[in-house]
């Protein structure tokens, strides 16, 4: 059987804005009364200094748009962003679009048919027999089941696969008249836009082998994280109990994964942990007993890019691979509705 190897990554992001500018220029007026004071504290403690937006609220306020208008705009903005990320990933892997056997697209921030999988396959010149899979509404952890499906295809068929995660969270700012509780303010303070693509090939020299993708879901906490389609875009629900649930499960998930491959936390020299917020990273760092520098790449991505939902863990992976000394062994972790924890083990090929 072919060994799946990540042979190329490609990233694409819309223009950035400073967190302070977003607060002063838009959100300080979007919130009012006691909510405004709470929001100012949350923005200041978000761990984010810059983030990217395809629809920048400093230039265009979409908060009162109906969902239909937001979905039309999603297609306009997501297509070129996805094309740029895919093009860079294919170039990095030395492949043409026609070589792709399976194209997996993950996105929870926009829907249309024909979707990104069909339109990008057409525009990039993928073969008519290219298989496609669209993964929606998994949220922040979707990159890892997407990676698992792509890797399984490579193993079974011996052909390259392509994964694209593309999210435009900027389209879902809620109207000022909506219920602005703490969880909604947190989502407005953290989320950002990005597209990241990964090419997975059979048994190539170089790159990173995908050793395993695994998960655990605690369905007793299903209401702790929600993503509801409303008449004014998609609305985030985020319980403050999420870090507590992660603390219960993350160590066991990681230890079991590593044990199956004859290794341990101490032998992992690269960590790509989805930064759902500073508290999430603090919990993972504590439960895994990581050194202070263990989550440096994850914190840096949160600082410079915010939480981009599904592409974020791939942004962190890209940062690790571009460092002066790329890790030999990497664990990727991402979390989302369910509550679900996903993990992947990568090793340098």
């Amino acid at each position: 059987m072919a060994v799946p190897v990540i042979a190329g990554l490609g990233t694409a992001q819309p223009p950035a804005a400073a967190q302070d500018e977003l607060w002063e220029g838009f959100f300080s007026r979007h919130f009012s009364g006691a909510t405004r004071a709470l929001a100012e504290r949350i923005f200041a403690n978000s761990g984010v200094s810059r983030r990217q937006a395809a629809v920048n609220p400093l230039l265009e306020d979409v908060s009162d748009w109906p969902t239909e208008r937001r979905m039309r705009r999603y297609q306009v903005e997501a297509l070129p962003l996805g094309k740029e990320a895919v093009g860079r990933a294919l170039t990095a892997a030395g492949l043409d679009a026609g070589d792709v056997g399976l194209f997996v697209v993950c996105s929870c921030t926009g829907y249309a048919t024909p979707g990104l999988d069909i339109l990008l396959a057409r525009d990039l010149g993928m073969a008519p027999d290219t298989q496609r899979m669209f993964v929606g509404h998994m949220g922040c952890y979707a990159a890892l089941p997407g990676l698992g499906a792509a890797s399984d295809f490579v193993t079974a068929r011996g052909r390259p696969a392509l994964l694209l995660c593309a999210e435009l969270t900027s389209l879902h700012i809620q109207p000022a008249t909506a219920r602005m509780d703490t969880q909604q303010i947190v989502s407005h303070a953290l989320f950002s836009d990005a597209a990241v693509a990964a090419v997975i090939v059979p048994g190539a020299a170089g790159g990173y082998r995908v050793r395993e993708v695994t998960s655990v879901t605690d369905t007793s906490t299903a209401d702790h994280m929600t993503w509801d389609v409303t008449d004014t875009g998609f609305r985030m629900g985020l319980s403050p109990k999420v870090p507590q649930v992660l603390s219960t499960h993350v160590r066991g998930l990681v230890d079991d994964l590593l044990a199956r491959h004859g290794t341990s936390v101490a032998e992992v020299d690269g960590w790509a942990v989805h930064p759902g917020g500073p508290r999430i990273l603090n919990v993972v760092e504590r439960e895994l007993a990581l050194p202070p520098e263990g989550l440096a790449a994850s914190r840096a991505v949160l600082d410079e890019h915010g939480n981009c939902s599904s592409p974020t863990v791939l942004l962190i992976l890209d940062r690790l691979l571009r460092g002066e000394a790329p890790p030999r062994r990497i664990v990727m972790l991402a979390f989302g509705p369910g509550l679900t924890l996903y993990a992947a083990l990568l090793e340098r090929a």
Side-chain angles (χ1 to χ4, degrees):
M1 291 189 299
V3 176
V5 175
I6 298 176
L9 290 171
T11 69
Q13 293 174 292
Q19 182 82 316
D20 290 346
E21 292 175 352
L22 290 168
W23 172 256
E24 293 295 338
F26 179 79
F27 287 104
S28 64
R29 299 191 300 272
H30 195 63
F31 305 112
S32 60
T35 301
R36 184 186 185 280
L38 173 63
E40 186 169 18
R41 291 195 300 273
I42 290 173
F43 270 68
N45 295 309
S46 63
V48 179
S49 65
R50 294 181 66 79
R51 47 192 173 126
Q52 291 70 38
V55 184
N56 188 331
L58 298 174
L59 305 175
E60 188 174 13
D61 183 1
V62 304
S63 63
D64 288 319
W65 283 16
T67 299
E68 179 186 5
R69 187 177 178 186
R70 299 181 198 231
M71 293 300 94
R72 289 200 303 265
R73 185 62 174 272
Y74 170 86
Q75 203 80 321
V76 169
E77 301 290 346
L79 193 61
L81 205 63
K83 189 179 299 184
E84 183 179 352
V86 166
R88 289 175 174 171
L90 289 170
T91 297
L95 294 181
D96 294 322
D99 299 323
V100 175
L102 172 68
F103 183 28
V104 181
V105 177
C106 303
S107 186
C108 68
T109 49
Y111 294 106
T113 302
L116 290 182
D117 56 327
I118 296 173
L119 299 180
L120 286 171
R122 176 199 68 189
D123 292 352
L124 291 165
M126 293 183 190
D129 66 350
T130 299
Q131 296 182 37
R132 301 183 316 278
M133 176 185 296
F134 187 89
V135 179
H137 254 69
M138 278 188 163
C140 294
Y141 67 85
L144 295 189
L147 177 63
S151 298
D152 289 347
F153 176 89
V154 170
T155 299
R157 306 293 179 86
R159 296 187 61 193
L162 173 65
L163 168 66
L164 170 67
C165 295
E167 304 288 9
L168 300 182
T169 67
S170 62
L171 282 170
H172 298 290
I173 294 174
Q174 292 296 287
T177 53
R179 177 175 52 89
M180 283 296 176
D181 52 23
T182 301
Q183 55 191 327
Q184 193 60 43
I185 298 169
V186 169
S187 68
H188 282 346
L190 288 175
F191 281 96
S192 185
D193 297 353
V196 183
V199 174
I200 302 94
V201 301
Y208 280 78
R209 294 189 297 267
V210 182
R211 297 295 305 276
E212 185 181 343
V213 177
T214 187
S215 70
V216 62
T217 300
D218 184 346
T219 55
S220 70
T221 62
D223 61 343
H224 284 17
M225 192 178 295
T226 58
W227 189 230
D228 297 321
V229 178
T230 77
D231 292 338
T232 53
F234 301 169
R235 181 180 175 86
M236 183 77 186
L238 187 62
S239 168
K241 297 178 182 178
V242 169
Q244 178 183 338
V245 179
L246 296 185
S247 70
T248 301
H249 297 289
V250 69
R251 183 77 201 211
L253 176 68
V254 172
D255 282 346
D256 289 349
L257 168 64
L258 296 177
R260 288 194 291 273
H261 297 274
T263 189
S264 66
V265 167
E267 296 176 282
V268 175
D269 55 343
W271 294 92
V273 178
H274 176 75
R279 288 181 63 205
I280 299 297
L281 294 179
N282 292 342
V283 164
V284 173
E285 182 179 74
R286 184 190 71 226
E287 295 300 325
L288 298 180
L290 299 180
E293 69 277 8
L295 297 185
S298 300
R299 294 187 193 282
V301 166
L302 177 63
D303 175 60
E304 297 172 18
H305 305 291
N307 178 349
C308 308
S309 192
S310 64
T312 317
V313 71
L314 295 175
L315 283 175
I316 301 166
L317 177 63
D318 182 68
R319 191 181 190 94
L320 288 171
L321 302 192
R322 291 178 182 277
E324 292 183 3
R328 183 171 66 92
R329 185 178 287 118
I330 298 171
V331 168
M332 303 172 70
L333 288 166
F335 323 107
L339 280 173
T340 303
L341 295 77
Y342 254 86
L345 174 62
L346 312 181
E347 289 183 347
R348 191 185 300 160

